[in-house]
Amino acid sequence: MHKYLPFKLDIKPSNKRSFGISDYSSYQFIYFYQELNQFALKVVHIIEALGGGVYTYFNDLSTYFGEDEIKSRIDTTIIYSANRKEIDREKIKSELSSNINLVEINMLRSFSPLQDLKSVIRLTKELKKINPDIIHLHSSKAGVLGRIAYFFLFKKKKLYYSPHGYSFLRTDISKPIRKIYWFIEKSTQTIFGGVTIACGDTEFAIAKKIGSSKLVRNGVDIESIRENFVENKNDKLTIGIMARITAARNPSLFNKIALKFPEYNFVWIGDGELKSLITASNIKITGWILDRETVLKELNKVDVYMQISLWEGLPIAVLEAMALKKPIIATNVIGNKDAVVHNKTGFLFTDIEELNEYFEILRNTETRTIFGEKALERCQELFNVNKNFKDLIEVYNQ
């Protein structure tokens, strides 16, 4: 059904009379149909940090919204920055659907008055050119730059914002800086308006205290991930993480855990600026792997997935591991605790000493299988990307 008509259009001449438009010739009718489709909802997504789990999110988003049936109703544009080390411009252009529009604009993660001003000017020009119905901002930096650009539009649009993990939850910065980040989040929503779309249940609870909010959980393409599943037979229990090696992912803790349990193998799938913090001989670092299929095959090789983040939104990597039937051991923080059900799909911990018991339990192959099956079931129930993108469309149409 077209969004502006109370019936479903069918351009077959034999069906025209049922709409009461029998006076149209076939050519006129097809022209009329094409004209109506010019009114497809225009949605612009703006993201600065197009890397890691956020890249997977946008890859899936481009696939879903690039499908012909969806594209006929929603015309999608992604405005992104390719500044980060793990971002490959050619990979973005080749992997994201050709049915969505890509626009690259230089945006920096750090505060840079001159460059931020240039970014706002470019964003404003691009938004005026596209003239979208909906602007959806992703992550903190794009959330600020995008809202300022939105302010300079002549005609106001529907505005949405997805934090993907609030900056004021970071524990690698001082308390005063966290308060500043909280003030920025609160004041920008108060001044510019819009609706926050939280990616997880705990983030949603926080967002509601800041302003108008909706919940659309992160999800993964379970079917395509499952294509990489094979049964493992590792000689030693193998524990892995898939992430950029940054402060948020707590590499020093991962190293400490590996040193405490030399009888097990550990794998870090990824690379990053804090690689030097990983010194344990029983940790393997794969380095950057830009091919998604290869990444998932590496993930499938581990027996237990470990997410030792200091803060999160709702980690895509954990959901991918669940889709591959991996039991999860994770720090008990926002995001992780929204994905993992303690003692059912894995374990949540706050102290390294708790891992003695959890590793001992998961050494048993049959136990890991039971936990893995439950993890997959939970993923299918709550974190199916196709279902969750349908929920996002419902939010757009409200």
Side-chain angles (χ1 to χ4, degrees):
M1 183 183 294
H2 196 281
K3 69 171 184 171
Y4 291 114
L5 293 180
F7 50 77
K8 183 177 180 180
L9 285 172
D10 188 335
I11 64 173
K12 293 179 182 178
S14 61
N15 290 330
K16 292 185 293 179
R17 188 172 299 275
S18 64
F19 313 142
I21 54 173
S22 56
D23 292 337
Y24 282 91
S25 67
S26 296
Y27 174 80
Q28 288 172 319
F29 180 73
I30 293 172
Y31 177 77
F32 173 67
Y33 176 78
Q34 290 172 336
E35 285 294 301
L36 282 171
N37 275 320
Q38 292 180 13
F39 293 100
L41 194 68
K42 287 185 178 181
V43 179
V44 171
H45 297 268
I46 303 176
I47 176 66
E48 176 271 322
L50 192 56
V54 174
Y55 176 79
T56 301
Y57 173 89
F58 273 94
N59 195 353
D60 290 338
L61 182 144
S62 80
T63 300
Y64 183 84
F65 286 90
E67 291 289 335
D68 291 338
E69 193 276 329
I70 301 295
K71 182 174 171 56
S72 68
R73 296 184 287 120
I74 300 176
D75 184 52
T76 300
T77 299
I78 298 174
I79 299 178
Y80 69 98
S81 176
N83 271 323
R84 305 220 181 176
K85 291 181 180 179
E86 70 270 28
I87 297 173
D88 185 319
R89 288 182 174 87
E90 296 307 313
K91 177 186 174 184
I92 291 171
K93 293 174 183 177
S94 64
E95 291 190 352
L96 269 62
S97 171
S98 59
N99 272 347
I100 58 102
N101 312 302
L102 290 174
V103 178
E104 183 180 340
I105 290 180
N106 189 28
M107 290 179 274
L108 296 180
R109 181 185 185 184
S110 58
F111 176 66
S112 174
L114 181 59
Q115 182 54 54
D116 290 347
L117 177 61
K118 290 179 180 178
S119 299
V120 168
I121 293 171
R122 281 288 315 279
L123 283 171
T124 304
K125 287 182 178 178
E126 200 63 40
L127 290 172
K128 287 180 178 179
K129 177 181 174 183
I130 298 169
N131 190 27
D133 301 292
I134 290 173
I135 300 170
H136 191 162
L137 312 172
H138 298 263
S139 297
S140 299
K141 189 61 181 284
V144 173
L145 299 180
R147 279 168 168 145
I148 296 173
Y150 164 82
F151 176 78
F152 290 108
L153 297 181
F154 295 123
K155 184 178 179 182
K156 297 310 176 188
K157 317 292 183 180
K158 281 187 177 181
L159 183 66
Y160 296 98
Y161 166 57
S162 294
H164 299 285
Y166 280 114
S167 294
F168 58 76
L169 298 176
R170 290 172 56 180
T171 57
D172 64 329
I173 54 178
S174 66
K175 189 174 181 180
I177 296 297
R178 290 201 297 272
K179 287 183 176 180
I180 290 172
Y181 283 162
W182 182 90
F183 176 77
I184 291 171
E185 291 282 1
K186 177 67 176 177
S187 59
T188 51
Q189 183 150 358
T190 301
I191 294 168
F192 300 106
V195 176
T196 297
I197 301 179
C199 66
D201 294 78
T202 310
E203 185 173 271
F204 180 45
I206 296 170
K208 286 190 289 185
K209 297 177 182 178
I210 296 175
S212 178
S213 307
K214 301 287 184 181
L215 171 64
V216 178
R217 295 182 182 90
N218 279 351
V220 291
D221 187 344
I222 298 170
E223 186 176 337
S224 69
I225 293 171
R226 293 290 303 158
E227 292 174 1
N228 297 277
F229 175 78
V230 292
E231 295 291 344
N232 279 327
K233 291 184 179 179
N234 293 316
D235 294 332
K236 292 182 179 181
L237 185 70
T238 302
I239 298 108
I241 181 174
M242 183 170 68
R244 183 177 163 202
I245 308 175
T246 63
R249 303 298 167 258
N250 208 354
S252 58
L253 177 60
F254 192 74
N255 192 69
K256 185 177 179 181
I257 293 169
L259 291 172
K260 181 175 175 61
F261 298 96
E263 66 271 31
Y264 304 138
N265 288 332
F266 292 80
V267 180
W268 193 300
I269 304 169
D271 210 324
E273 54 267 32
L274 297 183
K275 180 180 177 178
S276 60
L277 295 178
I278 297 177
T279 59
S281 60
N282 56 334
I283 298 179
K284 171 190 172 184
I285 301 175
T286 66
W288 293 121
I289 303 175
L290 298 180
D291 178 66
R292 177 163 169 75
E293 186 175 338
T294 305
V295 168
L296 290 173
K297 286 180 178 178
E298 287 293 326
L299 178 59
N300 187 72
K301 292 178 184 177
V302 307
D303 299 309
V304 176
Y305 186 81
M306 175 169 276
Q307 190 81 358
I308 32 77
S309 314
L310 292 171
W311 69 91
E312 283 287 359
L314 181 65
I316 296 288
V318 168
L319 306 184
E320 291 174 323
M322 291 167 65
L324 289 170
K325 294 185 178 181
K326 305 300 176 185
I328 312 296
I329 293 181
T331 45
N332 190 13
V333 299
I334 292 171
N336 289 348
K337 63 183 180 181
D338 296 324
V340 180
V341 179
H342 184 72
N343 206 26
K344 184 176 180 181
T345 67
F347 298 102
L348 297 166
F349 75 98
T350 54
D351 189 285
I352 192 173
E353 295 303 321
E354 298 171 57
L355 297 178
N356 292 296
E357 178 186 358
Y358 301 154
F359 283 153
E360 187 62 33
I361 291 171
L362 293 177
R363 284 181 62 184
N364 183 278
T365 303
E366 292 181 2
T367 303
R368 289 200 305 273
T369 299
I370 294 170
F371 273 75
E373 291 284 353
K374 293 294 184 183
L376 176 59
E377 288 175 12
R378 180 168 173 80
C379 197
Q380 290 170 329
E381 179 185 357
L382 295 179
F383 308 118
N384 184 313
V385 73
N386 294 321
K387 175 187 175 298
N388 294 358
F389 281 144
K390 287 180 183 177
D391 293 343
L392 181 60
I393 292 174
E394 288 184 10
V395 171
Y396 288 163
N397 286 328
Q398 289 174 1

